Amino acid sequence: EVQLVESGGGLVKPGGSLRLSCAASGFTFSNAWMSWVRQAPGKGLEWVGCIKTKTDDGTTEYAAPVKGRFTISRDDSKTTLYLQMNSLNTEDTAVYYCTTSRVHAGYFQNWGQGTLVTVSS
Amino acid sequence: EIVLTQSPGTLSLSPGERATLSCRASQSVSSSYLAWYQQKPGQVPRLLIYGAFSRATGIPDRFSGSGSGTDFTLTISRLEPEDFAVYYCHQYGSSSWTFGQGTKVEIK
C-alpha cells in the first residue's frame, strides 16, 4: 500500500522558517517524481514545486510565488521528501500535500493527508 | 506560466444527468499533459484522468477526458450521488505546473 505521511507543520511567525518532511513507502521512491501541492483554507489547489529522480538529474522546479524562498530535496536512502520554507508570509498559510505519480510523470496519483502550516504573528 | 481557466464555476445538476466541465489553457499544453482531480469536502484530491484521456486506476468509466492543445473536457456521463464535488484540471507539460481554479458540481 502506498503511503505518504507529512510532518513538520505548525504555527510560525512571518519571516520565519519551517521544514516539512514526507515519509514515503509502498513504491520505489527513487524512481518517482515527487511534488508538493498546497491548499489555502477554503481555496483551490496550488502546485508548489517538484523534484525529479536522480536519473533525471534530480531537477527541481518551483512555482513563481515560492521560487527563491522554498527548497525541495529528497533522500532516496530514507525514502523521504523535504520542503524547506524560508521567509514565510501569511499567503503561505495552507495545508501542504506531498504527492507523486510513482513514475517519471507530473500528474499526482497519490497524495498524503497533508500538514497545516499557519503563518501568523 | 500556463493559466488554466475552468468553466463553469458551478454546475447545478441532478443525479443521472450528464456533466461537461471545461478547462481552457492560455497556451498549448505539451503532449496533452493534462490531468483532472476530484476533491470532496474534507478529503484529499483524487486523480481521475491523466494524459488528457487516460483513466486512473479504479476510476469508473462514466468519467472520461478529451481534448488537446488548449481545450480540454471532463465528462461524467451519468452523475452518481458520490460525484458531487469540486473538480480541478492540472497541466504538467511546462516547467511550471499549474491548476485551474476548480468547478463545483452541486446537486440541483
Side-chain angles (χ1 to χ4, degrees):
Chain A
E1 179 195 3
V2 173
Q3 284 202 313
L4 299 170
V5 180
E6 303 95 337
S7 60
L11 176 63
V12 61
K13 287 181 167 48
S17 298
L18 210 56
R19 187 175 88 150
L20 306 183
S21 299
C22 170
S25 61
F27 64 101
T28 305
F29 183 81
S30 59
N31 284 352
W33 291 6
M34 301 294 299
S35 293
W36 291 96
V37 172
R38 68 184 180 183
Q39 187 167 35
K43 302 297 185 183
L45 301 172
E46 181 183 22
W47 175 73
V48 171
C50 71
I51 185 166
K52 298 181 179 177
T53 61
K54 282 191 169 52
T55 55
D56 292 317
D57 295 327
T59 302
T60 52
E61 303 284 359
Y62 300 94
V66 308
K67 201 166 189 177
R69 300 187 298 124
F70 289 12
T71 301
I72 298 174
S73 60
R74 62 190 298 159
D75 185 334
D76 290 348
S77 67
K78 295 182 179 177
T79 65
T80 301
L81 176 72
Y82 302 100
L83 177 64
Q84 177 67 43
M85 303 184 292
N86 298 331
S87 302
L88 286 161
N89 57 60
T90 55
E91 288 77 46
D92 296 316
T93 293
V95 173
Y96 285 73
Y97 295 104
C98 169
T99 68
T100 183
S101 63
R102 308 206 311 261
V103 293
H104 294 223
Y107 55 85
F108 308 132
Q109 175 73 57
N110 296 96
W111 298 65
Q113 286 302 306
T115 187
L116 176 62
V117 172
T118 303
V119 184
S120 175
S121 54
Chain B
E1 169 181 296
I2 298 177
V3 176
L4 298 179
T5 302
Q6 293 185 240
S7 60
T10 302
L11 200 51
S12 298
L13 295 168
S14 301
E17 289 193 294
R18 181 185 189 88
T20 302
L21 287 66
S22 173
C23 177
R24 179 159 290 177
S26 60
Q27 305 169 44
S28 183
V29 177
S30 172
S31 302
S32 294
Y33 287 151
L34 194 287
W36 290 92
Y37 304 85
Q38 176 195 67
Q39 188 177 32
K40 298 177 184 179
Q43 295 188 17
V44 170
R46 177 173 73 145
L47 176 69
L48 301 174
I49 301 287
Y50 63 95
F53 56 83
S54 298
R55 259 188 308 276
T57 304
I59 301 303
D61 60 8
R62 64 180 181 273
F63 291 92
S64 64
S66 62
S68 64
T70 59
D71 288 294
F72 298 88
T73 300
L74 175 70
T75 302
I76 310 171
S77 59
R78 286 178 57 86
L79 282 164
E80 298 288 340
E82 61 268 26
D83 298 337
F84 292 91
V86 179
Y87 293 83
Y88 296 94
C89 59
H90 156 226
Q91 69 79 21
Y92 50 99
S94 65
S95 60
S96 182
W97 303 345
T98 49
F99 284 94
Q101 82 280 17
T103 288
K104 181 179 182 180
V105 179
E106 65 176 22
I107 299 176
K108 187 174 182 180

